[in-house]
């Protein structure tokens, strides 16, 4: 599923630039994705859109997030730490944080792989038509071992 999401991010400027589901399914299938991972990714993206609608206009700039034990278990310490990092950097406001947590919770299994969480964060930005700043993109795309220290 995550490969499909990355493909969509890399090939479509915004979600509204994507073709309708049937045409998009055919396109994704023609580039080599399996039908079950296409369906899973498109269903997951529909969930992003639904969550985005429910969080439209929310403020909550001073909110504090307390994770339930089931969320802690599902997300894992690394993912919760990364979400906290993005919040403290001022790039993940509370409504987007909640979207990330909701969509991460929709992924079966756990604890969630940090690289998968980064794709979820990227797709939340993408679904809202927002481009994260360059430093955050670097955090989302570059593995720590591949970073150059200046």
């Amino acid at each position: 599923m995550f490969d499909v999401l990355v493909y969509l991010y890399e090939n479509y400027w915004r979600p509204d630039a994507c073709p309708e589901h049937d045409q998009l399914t055919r396109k994704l299938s023609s580039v080599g994705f399996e039908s079950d991972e296409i369906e899973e990714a498109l269903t997951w993206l529909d969930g992003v859109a639904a969550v985005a609608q429910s969080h439209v206009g929310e403020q909550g700039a001073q909110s504090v997030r307390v994770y339930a034990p089931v969320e802690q278990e599902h997300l894992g310490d690394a993912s919760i730490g990364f979400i906290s990092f993005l919040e403290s950097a001022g790039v993940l406001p509370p409504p987007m944080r909640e979207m990330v947590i909701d969509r991460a919770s929709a992924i079966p299994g756990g604890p969630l792989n940090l690289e998968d969480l980064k794709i979820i964060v990227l797709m939340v930005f993408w679904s809202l038509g927002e481009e994260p700043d360059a430093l955050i993109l670097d955090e989302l795309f570059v593995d720590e071992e591949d970073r150059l220290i200046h």
Side-chain angles (χ1 to χ4, degrees), residues 3 15 39-40 51 62 79 116 129 132:
D3 291 335
E39 184 61 33
E40 185 179 2
V51 171
Q62 300 299 320
S79 293
D116 292 344

Side-chain angles (χ1 to χ4, degrees), residues 16 22 25 46 59 96 100 103 106 117 123 127 133 142:
D16 58 359
D22 291 340
T25 298
D46 288 342
Q59 296 300 316
M96 287 178 73
V100 167
R103 294 293 74 210
L117 177 78
M123 294 310 292
S127 71
D133 69 33
V142 180

Side-chain angles (χ1 to χ4, degrees), residues 15 48 52 96 99 123-130:
V48 172
M96 287 178 73
M99 289 178 66
M123 294 310 292
V124 166
F125 274 96
W126 181 79
S127 71
L128 296 172
E130 295 186 24

Side-chain angles (χ1 to χ4, degrees), residues 65-142:
R65 183 60 152 90
V66 177
Y67 293 88
V70 69
E71 291 173 324
Q72 292 173 6
E73 184 178 321
H74 183 75
L75 294 171
D77 292 338
S79 293
I80 291 172
F82 189 71
I83 292 169
S84 296
F85 160 72
L86 293 176
E87 281 186 279
S88 67
V91 297
L92 192 67
M96 287 178 73
R97 174 198 62 214
E98 293 306 312
M99 289 178 66
V100 167
I101 293 168
D102 178 82
R103 294 293 74 210
S105 298
I107 305 299
L112 189 64
N113 180 306
L114 182 57
E115 296 308 310
D116 292 344
L117 177 78
K118 289 179 178 183
I119 293 170
I120 291 168
V121 171
L122 188 66
M123 294 310 292
V124 166
F125 274 96
W126 181 79
S127 71
L128 296 172
E130 295 186 24
E131 182 75 25
D133 69 33
L135 292 175
I136 296 306
L137 278 175
D138 185 50
E139 285 293 327
L140 295 174
F141 278 119
V142 180

Side-chain angles (χ1 to χ4, degrees), residues 23-37:
Q23 186 179 0
L24 183 58
T25 298
R26 287 191 300 276
K27 167 89 172 152
L28 292 169
S29 182
S30 72
V31 296
F33 292 110
E34 298 292 326
S35 61
D36 59 334
E37 67 180 331

